[in-house]
Amino acid sequence: MYKVRTTKTGSGRTAVQIVRRHKRRTEVIKHLGTAANEQEVKILKDEGYRYIHAQERTLPLYSSKELPQLVAIDKLTISHAYHTFALEFLEHFYCLNGFDQLEHPLLRHLSVLRIVEPVSKIKSIELLEQHFGISYTRNRLYKTLPAIAKLQDQAEKQAVTYAKKYLDFDFSLVFYDMTTMYFESFKEDEFRRCGFSKDNKPNQPQILVALVVNQDGYPISCQLFKGNTFEGHTIIPVILELKKKYDIKTITVVADAAMLSLGNINQLAEHKLHYVVAARMGNLSRNILEGIADELNGQENRYIQRETNYGTLLCDYSKKRASKDKSDRNKQLQRARGYLAQPNQKKKRLKFIKETKQATYELNQKLIEKSEKLDGIKGYYTNLDTSSIKPELIISRYKQLWQIEKSFRIAKSDLLARPIYHRKEESIRAHMVIVFVSLCVAKSIELLSGYSIQQIKHYIWKILDVELQAEDTGQTFSKRMQASGNPLFEWFNKIR
């Protein structure tokens, strides 16, 4: 039979473990962590009782020194219903990702809760009690956030360790992008600044979040910048920091066109870093575009290249892309003609309208013709050796950039990373550590199970542990709802 025990460590903290007696020896089954105070000891003990309950299926949900006695059914009342399975499920993958090594119970529980019910930190401690029976005070929350902020570097190292162990990651290929996270405020400070907003909140302060993922979309680094930072200035410091921290010899960075500048290209080359970056084809001269279009001649699986100041320009053609480009242009032209048909209406800045003289507007025919030439054509700049690496392989690497876009969607939509309600920089950084850890855990489950995060939340949330209490003795018992037919429950029981 398993039991939970505590023991003092050399540092004076309290270690909480699950043990059993076997062949006259005490075996440590699971080390739950170390605690600095009684509240942390209680949290770790509760975690241990849930683990034992899951393993033996016969013990009460919480601690009881005596085995339950027989109790009449009419003396039992339902006292609570907890989402214990959801907690067991998510904590399993939290530990599999290595984040239990951070030894921070509040980070663990806030990260787990954010996956299933992302809310404010104050609301989070209410829901931890309601859903899982885990108690934190507001005072403890406020005092602990600065400590969580300092765990960013350790959290990233655990993520990299997981990616190397389970996802065959070696830093040879990484994907980079950035986004903005706005605040529910209109007051700026040194860190929260107004800038170009991808959330269409130009009057609200924001921060920039740079994310690096592997080719599966699993996060390995997350860095924050002031809200008025130009996004093109973020890629170099982030990649160089990675290179230094992990002593990387060879790395290829894939990024979108927003990161493209001659300065960035030169710095990447100077530090012997490879890159694949989307090209802004509209910036090329009409003669060059016509030459590229003529060579491709509307044929798929054909590649051409040109040497430029930005490196080798690779181009390909897609019929599907051409159809979308034409459709998008027709919509823009329809909107432009509608504005031109209303001479008294104030003109907006539209792509295909130009001002010939003051308050006189017309369609920009040259730009329309140039746009037509670009239908279906996509360009990519790289400094990889195209004589040894096939262009189609380089282009296929760029097309994997959607993985980081998906990770951002999960962070923003499923984990509700924004808006941010914190004011102090250390609290903001703590919030992003929690989001980063949640994103790693969520992404790892998606990759292992094949289910989307929305499906995962749906299946694990359906299973409840009902706590019953005997009116006469006060004893508590727990019973898990029937979970047969739940594909995630059955999959989880097979792998753990």
Side-chain angles (χ1 to χ4, degrees), residues 80-97:
H80 293 98
Y82 292 110
H83 291 276
T84 310
F85 173 73
L87 182 62
E88 292 171 4
F89 181 93
L90 295 172
E91 283 191 332
H92 172 84
F93 293 102
Y94 180 94
C95 295
L96 185 66
N97 278 259

Side-chain angles (χ1 to χ4, degrees), residues 165-410:
K165 184 176 181 180
Y166 294 101
L167 303 175
D168 197 27
F169 176 65
D170 61 2
F171 279 109
S172 59
L173 181 68
V174 299
F175 297 81
Y176 178 89
D177 202 356
M178 59 73 53
T179 192
T180 55
M181 299 283 185
Y182 67 92
F183 292 80
E184 204 60 78
S185 168
F186 292 92
K187 186 177 180 180
E188 291 184 278
D189 56 32
E190 186 62 25
F191 190 52
R192 303 177 302 165
R193 303 296 296 272
C194 292
F196 176 75
S197 172
K198 294 192 175 186
D199 298 305
N200 295 318
K201 304 281 186 179
N203 297 322
Q204 291 177 240
Q206 63 180 19
I207 56 171
L208 268 63
V209 180
L211 187 65
V212 182
V213 306
N214 77 337
Q215 61 187 29
D216 298 303
Y218 181 84
I220 59 171
S221 180
C222 176
Q223 300 296 323
L224 308 185
F225 295 86
K226 294 180 181 180
N228 59 351
T229 306
F230 172 58
E231 61 181 302
H233 293 164
T234 62
I235 185 170
I236 298 300
V238 170
I239 299 302
L240 291 184
E241 177 66 21
L242 280 178
K243 186 174 185 289
K244 178 182 178 181
K245 185 186 297 184
Y246 298 102
D247 192 27
I248 303 168
K249 304 302 180 185
T250 303
I251 185 171
T252 298
V253 185
V254 181
D256 68 13
M259 304 304 139
L260 180 65
S261 73
L262 195 55
N264 283 348
I265 295 298
N266 290 337
Q267 286 192 63
L268 289 170
E270 178 185 341
H271 292 282
K272 298 180 180 180
L273 301 171
H274 298 300
Y275 58 86
V276 181
V277 184
R280 294 190 179 94
M281 299 296 288
N283 291 345
L284 298 177
S285 69
R286 183 168 178 173
N287 289 338
I288 293 176
L289 280 178
E290 288 179 349
I292 291 171
D294 289 343
E295 279 194 55
L296 287 172
N297 196 28
Q299 297 182 41
E300 295 185 319
N301 302 318
R302 187 172 183 177
Y303 310 92
I304 65 166
Q305 61 186 64
R306 298 279 192 278
E307 295 305 320
T308 73
N309 292 334
Y310 295 101
T312 302
L313 171 64
L314 299 174
C315 297
D316 69 344
Y317 174 86
S318 163
K319 290 181 180 178
K320 186 176 180 179
R321 191 189 303 130
S323 177
K324 184 179 184 305
D325 290 342
K326 183 177 180 180
S327 175
D328 290 345
R329 183 175 57 257
N330 287 338
K331 290 177 183 177
Q332 290 172 325
L333 283 171
Q334 183 177 4
R335 195 177 302 119
R337 291 188 178 106
Y339 276 109
L340 291 176
Q342 302 176 50
N344 295 327
Q345 183 174 340
K346 183 178 179 181
K347 297 297 180 288
K348 294 183 180 180
R349 293 185 62 183
L350 295 177
K351 182 175 180 179
F352 294 117
I353 290 180
K354 69 176 182 179
E355 187 175 7
T356 55
K357 56 184 180 179
Q358 189 172 7
T360 304
Y361 301 87
E362 64 180 31
L363 289 177
N364 190 334
Q365 291 297 336
K366 288 186 178 180
L367 187 58
I368 295 171
E369 292 170 5
K370 187 175 183 179
S371 175
E372 290 172 346
K373 284 288 183 182
L374 282 170
D375 280 356
I377 299 175
K378 180 77 175 177
Y380 319 83
Y381 288 114
T382 184
N383 63 347
L384 290 168
D385 184 3
T386 55
S387 64
S388 58
I389 304 176
K390 293 182 178 180
E392 53 264 42
L393 178 60
I394 296 173
I395 292 173
S396 71
R397 293 304 189 204
Y398 178 85
K399 291 178 179 178
Q400 289 178 286
L401 197 62
W402 67 271
Q403 292 280 11
I404 197 168
E405 294 169 355
K406 182 181 179 183
S407 293
F408 271 133
R409 282 197 300 273
I410 292 174

